[in-house]
Amino acid sequence: MLIFAISDKGGTGRSVTSTNIVYRHALQGNDVCYLDFDFGSPTAGAIFSVGSVARGTTRKGLHDYLLGEGAPEPHRVDVWTESDREGLRTKPPGAGRLVLLPGNEGGGELPAVEEETLRRCVQLFSRLDEEFDLVMVDVSAGRSFTAEMVLQATVRLPSVPFRWLVFHRWTRQHIIAADGLVTGADGLLDAGTRFGHDRNALRDRIRFVRTAVLEPDAAELVGLRDEQRAWLFACDTELRELASRHKVGRTSMLGKIPLDPILQWREQLISDEDVLASKIANAETAAAFDDLAKKIVDDAAWEGL
Amino acid sequence: MLVMGEVHTGLLQNSGEIPESTCRDVLQLLSGERVRVSRRPIVYAVSPDLLTGVDCRLPSASQSRIRGAGTVLSRSSITGGRVVQGSSFTRIERSGSDRRQPWSHYLARPGVVEVLGKVKSRDLADGFAEDPPADGLDLGAISARFLDVVQSSPLLDRRAPFKIARTRLRWVAEEGEPAIRFTLHSEQMRTVRLVHTGEFTPAVADLCEDLALHDWLLTALLVIIERARIGGTPGPEAAVKLAPAVDHLLHLWMPSARVDDVLSAYWESLDRRPGFTRQWQSLVDRVRDQLAVHTLAFLREKSGGGAR
Ligand SMILES: Nc1ncnc2c1ncn2[C@@H]1O[C@H](COP(=O)(O)OP(=O)(O)OP(=O)(O)O)[C@@H](O)[C@H]1O
Ligand SMILES: [Mg+2]
């Protein structure tokens, strides 16, 4: 299964959320890999705490591989052995493989989608699908050649299942933008249809994920004045209406991740140790990642809308 | 002088094993020529050898810049309708001259790469275990593509029963006192250094493919057993996870099936140490015991339930 992680805007929490989802999926016993296709700023290494590739690899990364720069195979990082975080450096019993394919340090966006690049992308997906239960691809923000490339690649791999996750924050602007990225002019559906996907079938493979959500009844808000709380409630109700009008509402939402103070301070994986031992992370956050990690492969959550 | 090769082995991307006729059709796509099939003791289908032209740096332990030009022989094969291999090899020979020859010269000597300039056989062989540099001879990349061609065949449904990595076996064969050394490098990478008496024959490549096949089977079985977490998960769950091994792997173990009698001593030596067949057998016993225990528990539960 290929999962493409995209967002309309930058800084929505796409990378932090998608990396935490694959991490949880690995803990659930699946072999997973994470592809950093955000060639302009490949930062997945930092989130997995692999210092040697914190800003992409200096070896043959995905960018070099796709552009055919002398790399028959892109550099792979085994997170369970190469992470600098002690808590990540041993594979827990029952966990699957957790492999990162970093981008290149100083890579830069794809300049176009050449046939040769597309061919390599198809080959890469096809080989990884043979080996991993789940392949998560951080496609970067907005409309890009990278998004076009993976839309085309999946047309050429008709028997490899794929799904899209569109990440957005819980604000007016973000809701409208996330909808626009999918249904707007030259959005995912337009572009996908142009490349040969069936519009409705593609739509069924797209779900939204809300990031850094502050629920009006959250513990963090206990100190608020009644007026503030009432205002937040009204806002939230209004956003819900807006979301359902834009078809970003409950039915097309796969899950939401609460705002977590530690993620506001640092882009990282949230381990059970962070929740149970050091208690720096909220249990709800870890549970939300865990839940999403199950839902991405749960067909019931992906039935036609 | 010496022969270098690399074999990649993986699980055929199909839900079930495919019959002999489909093996033929899948491999036929590679070239119009006839696919060779042998049926005993296991169905083995192989494409004809195809040539890839190379003009590149050759491996060197001392990092010397050695250049070679010529052709590599490659083929794809399917064993038991279930396991697929891409295999490439080439003989490295000294060139009659120091100058690059026209392609017609190299094409007349299929499967030979001629070294331009001075070279030590030992230096080449020692350097071969390393990953090739960007401009180096990369037999692995060629073999991987031969495997890809099979895996992307429209005749396959791509719903393989389990996910599993391909393994790579890089080998180098020289003339001398017979010896063989098999080394595990990473999870997926193995090397074989083999010394044979007399001239190299393609039977050596067959042997390496047979070793690669069985090493992959062993690796895959180990992975499946690890995933099942026998003892760490409830019995029925472990049994479900072991089932693909029974359905798809256990009957494929046929060491030496296609190996020339002259070379079977190499297999025997590897079976003594590291002891491939011994390890395989103990894993198979473990799987069977586990399933038997589970069946017993299941029956006991059923009859107990009936009595109440
Ligand atoms: N659930 C959360 N709670 C609090 N902060 C979060 C949460 N998720 C993400 N963040 C923070 O938001 C910021 C942006 O996240 P991230 O880098 O994952 O976004 P992105 O969409 O990948 O951005 P870019 O487009 O720049 O790659 C980071 O500082 C991150 O730690
Ligand atoms: Mg990011």
Side-chain angles (χ1 to χ4, degrees):
Chain A
M1 165 94 61
L2 304 169
I3 308 267
F4 301 108
I6 196 168
S7 57
D8 183 65
K9 296 178 181 294
T12 52
R14 184 186 66 255
S15 303
V16 163
T17 313
S18 57
T19 46
N20 271 286
I21 294 173
V22 287
Y23 166 63
R24 290 284 153 184
H25 205 65
L27 291 179
Q28 289 162 7
N30 305 288
D31 286 355
V32 301
C33 74
Y34 190 90
L35 272 52
D36 197 348
F37 270 25
D38 190 353
F39 302 116
S41 65
T43 52
I47 307 179
F48 285 108
S49 304
V50 183
S52 54
V53 295
R55 281 175 306 281
T57 176
T58 50
R59 298 181 21 201
K60 296 297 171 191
L62 286 171
H63 185 263
D64 279 354
Y65 168 81
L66 288 170
L67 295 180
E69 289 171 8
E73 293 275 357
H75 181 191
R76 286 181 177 207
V77 174
D78 174 18
V79 176
W80 295 134
T81 58
E82 294 180 51
S83 177
D84 304 321
R85 253 178 91 180
E86 199 144 341
L88 292 181
R89 232 180 10 251
T90 30
K91 185 167 121 179
R97 297 167 67 202
L98 178 56
V99 174
L100 163 68
L101 275 68
N104 283 96
E105 194 169 321
E109 299 289 337
L110 287 185
V113 186
E114 305 285 353
E115 172 58 27
E116 181 58 19
T117 306
L118 178 56
R119 210 189 49 71
R120 284 169 167 274
C121 180
V122 169
Q123 175 185 281
L124 178 71
F125 287 167
S126 170
R127 286 182 184 171
L128 293 173
D129 175 63
E130 210 177 302
E131 190 175 342
F132 293 96
D133 297 297
L134 189 98
V135 179
M136 175 77 81
V137 186
D138 185 344
V139 181
S140 81
R143 294 158 174 80
S144 63
F145 284 121
T146 309
E148 292 196 0
M149 175 179 68
V150 302
L151 279 168
Q152 292 181 74
T154 46
V155 170
R156 295 196 188 182
L157 292 164
S159 6
V160 176
F162 71 87
R163 287 166 177 172
W164 284 79
L165 295 179
V166 179
F167 294 87
H168 67 89
R169 298 246 167 169
W170 193 230
T171 70
R172 239 191 123 69
Q173 296 299 327
H174 273 266
I175 291 168
I176 296 169
D179 175 37
L181 177 67
V182 176
T183 60
D186 216 27
L188 286 180
L189 292 177
D190 272 7
T193 313
R194 180 153 47 85
F195 296 130
H197 283 287
D198 175 84
R199 195 178 179 94
N200 290 325
L202 183 58
R203 178 148 214 149
D204 281 345
R205 294 176 184 237
I206 302 175
R207 290 290 183 280
F208 296 90
V209 175
R210 301 176 193 167
T211 58
V213 178
L214 193 53
E215 301 284 359
D217 52 0
E220 281 85 351
L221 301 181
V222 162
L224 290 190
R225 286 189 294 279
D226 286 349
E227 292 84 348
Q228 290 174 314
R229 202 163 314 127
W231 182 83
L232 275 177
F233 252 108
C235 261
D236 194 56
T237 311
E238 198 187 308
L239 287 176
R240 273 173 218 275
E241 278 161 18
L242 180 74
S244 71
R245 243 183 294 129
H246 281 272
K247 309 227 165 35
V248 182
R250 220 163 38 82
T251 45
S252 54
M253 175 193 77
L254 194 66
K256 49 184 169 182
I257 307 297
L259 181 117
D260 194 296
I262 98 163
L263 294 181
Q264 256 179 330
W265 289 90
R266 189 163 71 190
E267 297 78 4
Q268 67 161 70
L269 297 183
I270 293 192
S271 68
D272 289 343
E273 199 191 46
D274 295 331
V275 175
L276 301 171
S278 64
K279 298 195 171 139
I280 52 173
N282 292 330
E284 291 79 11
T285 314
F289 287 137
D290 204 59
D291 179 52
L292 261 178
K294 289 185 184 128
K295 276 197 187 142
I296 46 171
V297 294
D298 176 6
D299 293 338
W302 290 83
E303 269 158 19
L305 297 177
Chain B
M1 199 159 55
L2 53 80
V3 183
M4 294 170 169
E6 186 161 330
V7 190
H8 288 205
T9 309
L11 181 70
L12 190 76
Q13 293 301 293
N14 200 60
S15 46
E17 66 180 48
I18 57 172
E20 184 194 318
S21 58
T22 313
C23 290
R24 277 182 195 281
D25 294 343
V26 168
L27 293 171
Q28 197 86 39
L29 294 173
L30 228 54
S31 86
E33 280 182 73
R34 282 192 70 77
V35 173
R36 265 195 305 125
V37 177
S38 63
R39 299 195 179 83
R40 298 279 184 270
I42 188 166
V43 177
Y44 167 80
V46 60
S47 75
D49 288 341
L50 297 177
L51 291 182
T52 305
V54 292
D55 181 348
C56 55
R57 236 176 111 175
L58 294 179
S60 158
S62 63
Q63 309 283 327
S64 315
R65 292 207 153 258
I66 309 170
R67 194 170 144 220
T71 55
V72 172
L73 282 178
S74 307
R75 58 196 176 206
S76 310
S77 65
I78 303 172
T79 304
R82 188 72 276 184
V83 186
V84 51
Q85 294 190 296
S87 167
S88 307
F89 66 95
T90 188
R91 307 160 77 128
I92 312 285
E93 293 186 356
R94 288 195 179 82
S95 169
S97 96
D98 274 353
R99 294 233 313 277
R100 169 87 160 67
Q101 305 293 313
W103 274 115
S104 57
H105 168 86
Y106 300 112
L107 284 172
R109 310 189 66 202
V112 173
V113 165
E114 295 185 1
V115 183
L116 305 168
K118 281 204 187 58
V119 63
K120 287 202 191 72
S121 176
R122 170 43 55 82
D123 187 43
L124 275 174
D126 288 349
F128 190 57
E130 305 295 315
D131 283 329
D135 56 348
L137 175 65
D138 194 341
L139 297 178
I142 301 175
S143 294
R145 279 205 304 276
F146 272 75
L147 209 150
D148 288 338
V149 175
V150 174
Q151 301 290 46
S152 58
S153 163
L155 299 173
L156 305 178
D157 64 21
R158 267 213 88 101
R159 294 203 310 273
F162 51 92
K163 302 284 179 181
I164 193 86
R166 299 176 182 182
T167 53
R168 316 145 164 228
L169 182 142
R170 207 171 270 169
W171 58 271
V172 54
E174 297 162 273
E175 276 176 47
E177 263 312 290
I180 188 163
R181 195 168 74 226
F182 178 94
T183 315
L184 285 173
H185 292 263
S186 62
E187 267 176 273
Q188 278 94 39
M189 182 73 200
R190 293 90 177 81
T191 53
V192 165
R193 282 190 77 157
L194 184 149
V195 189
H196 54 88
T197 45
E199 280 273 292
F200 171 85
T201 68
V204 172
D206 292 341
L207 169 71
C208 293
E209 288 167 14
D210 199 47
L211 288 174
L213 176 80
H214 288 87
D215 169 67
W216 179 85
L217 283 172
L218 196 49
T219 308
L221 188 53
L222 280 162
V223 167
I224 290 178
I225 290 175
E226 193 198 321
R227 283 180 190 157
R229 298 186 63 210
I230 299 172
T233 48
E237 221 170 279
V240 167
K241 293 217 164 134
L242 291 173
V246 180
D247 292 344
H248 302 281
L249 299 181
L250 298 194
H251 58 288
L252 298 174
W253 190 263
M254 306 248 172
S256 241
R258 298 188 299 105
V259 175
D260 195 303
D261 284 346
V262 185
L263 298 174
S264 56
Y266 292 101
W267 241 120
E268 284 155 22
S269 122
L270 290 175
D271 254 349
R272 274 194 302 278
R273 192 184 306 247
F276 280 103
T277 302
R278 246 181 301 142
Q279 189 175 9
W280 173 262
Q281 199 50 52
S282 93
L283 294 176
V284 170
D285 291 347
R286 186 139 187 242
V287 170
R288 297 226 162 107
D289 289 349
Q290 191 58 36
L291 293 180
V293 166
H294 167 65
T295 311
L296 277 178
F298 176 73
L299 289 174
R300 200 177 309 125
E301 203 173 284
K302 263 194 92 174
S303 62
R308 245 177 272 137

